[in-house]
Amino acid sequence: QVQLVESGGDLVQAGESLRLSCAASGDMPSSYVMAWYRQPPGKEREMVAAIPKGDTTVYADSVKGRFTISRDNAKNTVYLQMNSLKPEDTAVYYCKLRTSYLGVAHDYWGQGTQVTVSS
């Protein structure tokens, strides 16, 4: 079992920055992808950024150039640096870890952290 805990969410004004953290603990798998998702109020959850154990990163078009995902494997922690925040970035942000067992994907989710961006 893996546990994920997000932190860093806050109420900020448009144009400001935030840095989210997600600390993983428990029985960590040897290979996994970590990602950030967000769910705006009244909308579906969407992928924001993802990073495997290597150096590859993937971003949603809406955040590309503004957000940066990074990973500290020694600390089992993933970060999301969010710059130039916009009101449409307002959402609950979730950390996810995806691994596989015998070819079956397993996802672990954090509890979420609220990011609110005022105009």
Side-chain angles (χ1 to χ4, degrees), residues 64-97:
K64 189 176 182 180
R66 299 188 297 120
F67 291 9
T68 302
I69 188 171
S70 60
R71 178 170 169 170
D72 187 335
N73 292 324
K75 296 182 178 180
N76 293 324
T77 300
V78 65
Y79 306 93
L80 186 67
Q81 178 66 46
M82 305 184 295
N83 298 327
S84 301
L85 283 163
K86 304 175 181 179
E88 50 263 44
D89 295 320
T90 295
V92 177
Y93 283 72
Y94 297 91
C95 178
K96 186 188 81 172
L97 182 153

Side-chain angles (χ1 to χ4, degrees), residues 1-8 20-29 32-37 45 49 51 69-73 75-79 92-99 106-113:
Q1 184 70 29
V2 176
Q3 296 82 43
L4 304 174
V5 179
E6 304 98 333
S7 62
L20 305 183
S21 298
C22 173
S25 62
D27 191 10
M28 296 291 293
Y32 53 91
V33 176
M34 298 192 76
W36 286 97
Y37 285 70
R45 191 173 299 186
I51 183 170
I69 188 171
S70 60
R71 178 170 169 170
D72 187 335
N73 292 324
K75 296 182 178 180
N76 293 324
T77 300
V78 65
Y79 306 93
V92 177
Y93 283 72
Y94 297 91
C95 178
K96 186 188 81 172
L97 182 153
R98 168 165 283 191
T99 187
H106 290 264
D107 292 341
Y108 300 89
W109 294 88
Q111 81 288 346
T113 185

Side-chain angles (χ1 to χ4, degrees), residues 7-75:
S7 62
D10 204 355
L11 170 63
V12 299
Q13 297 185 39
E16 295 183 340
S17 298
L18 280 175
R19 181 178 172 88
L20 305 183
S21 298
C22 173
S25 62
D27 191 10
M28 296 291 293
S30 59
S31 180
Y32 53 91
V33 176
M34 298 192 76
W36 286 97
Y37 285 70
R38 68 185 182 187
Q39 187 165 17
K43 298 183 179 180
E44 295 183 344
R45 191 173 299 186
E46 63 182 358
M47 194 275 290
V48 176
I51 183 170
K53 198 170 185 178
D55 58 358
T56 303
T57 57
V58 179
Y59 297 94
D61 289 341
S62 59
V63 307
K64 189 176 182 180
R66 299 188 297 120
F67 291 9
T68 302
I69 188 171
S70 60
R71 178 170 169 170
D72 187 335
N73 292 324
K75 296 182 178 180

